[in-house]
């Protein structure tokens, strides 16, 4: 399939913006932090996306509690949740849902 320049440029620009919104894993990345509200660097997460059900583990390693929201593609986002310091929360969802980002709220 060949794209014209009129179509290819907006698609490429969209892909670049999407790359800024999608986290790369592990520690909350700079791209994720810029997505909406700053996400503290002391928030850690791990995504297991093999199989029909995806599992996300989020740990608040900060000294204070924070409010976060799990953003999904192709599914309704999880509601904003308070993460107490030192605690880990586990989220899961079935396909076609896909992890998109973790945002401060």
């Amino acid at each position: 399939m060949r794209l014209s320049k009129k179509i290819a440029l907006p698609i490429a620009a969209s892909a670049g913006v999407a790359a800024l919104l999608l986290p790369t894993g592990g520690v909350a990345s700079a791209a994720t932090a810029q997505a909406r509200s700053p996400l503290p660097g002391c928030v850690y997460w791990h995504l297991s996306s093999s199989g029909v059900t995806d599992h996300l583990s989020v740990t608040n390693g900060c000294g204070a509690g924070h409010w976060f929201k799990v953003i999904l593609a192709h599914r309704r986002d999880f509601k904003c949740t308070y993460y107490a310091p030192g605690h880990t929360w586990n989220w899961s969802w079935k396909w076609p849902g896909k992890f998109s980002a973790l945002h401060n709220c």
Side-chain angles (χ1 to χ4, degrees):
M1 178 178 168
R2 184 165 159 83
L3 297 175
S4 72
K5 286 185 180 179
K6 289 181 182 178
I7 295 173
L9 290 177
I11 289 173
S14 297
V17 170
L20 290 175
L21 296 175
L22 295 176
T24 56
V27 176
S29 68
T32 304
Q34 294 172 355
R36 286 197 183 168
S37 299
L39 197 62
C42 50
V43 174
Y44 305 94
W45 57 269
H46 174 75
L47 176 67
S48 173
S49 58
S50 61
V52 175
T53 304
D54 291 351
H55 303 279
L56 176 69
S57 175
V58 179
T59 301
N60 180 0
C62 306
H66 293 281
W67 289 87
F68 299 114
K69 182 176 186 177
V70 177
I71 308 296
L72 300 177
H74 311 296
R75 285 254 186 233
R76 181 171 286 171
D77 299 338
F78 289 103
K79 66 179 184 172
C80 194
T81 303
Y82 179 77
Y83 291 73
H87 288 127
T88 299
W89 284 260
N90 297 298
W91 304 92
S92 60
W93 57 89
K94 294 197 179 291
W95 186 87
K98 181 179 176 183
F99 178 67
S100 182
L102 183 63
H103 291 168
N104 215 1
C105 50

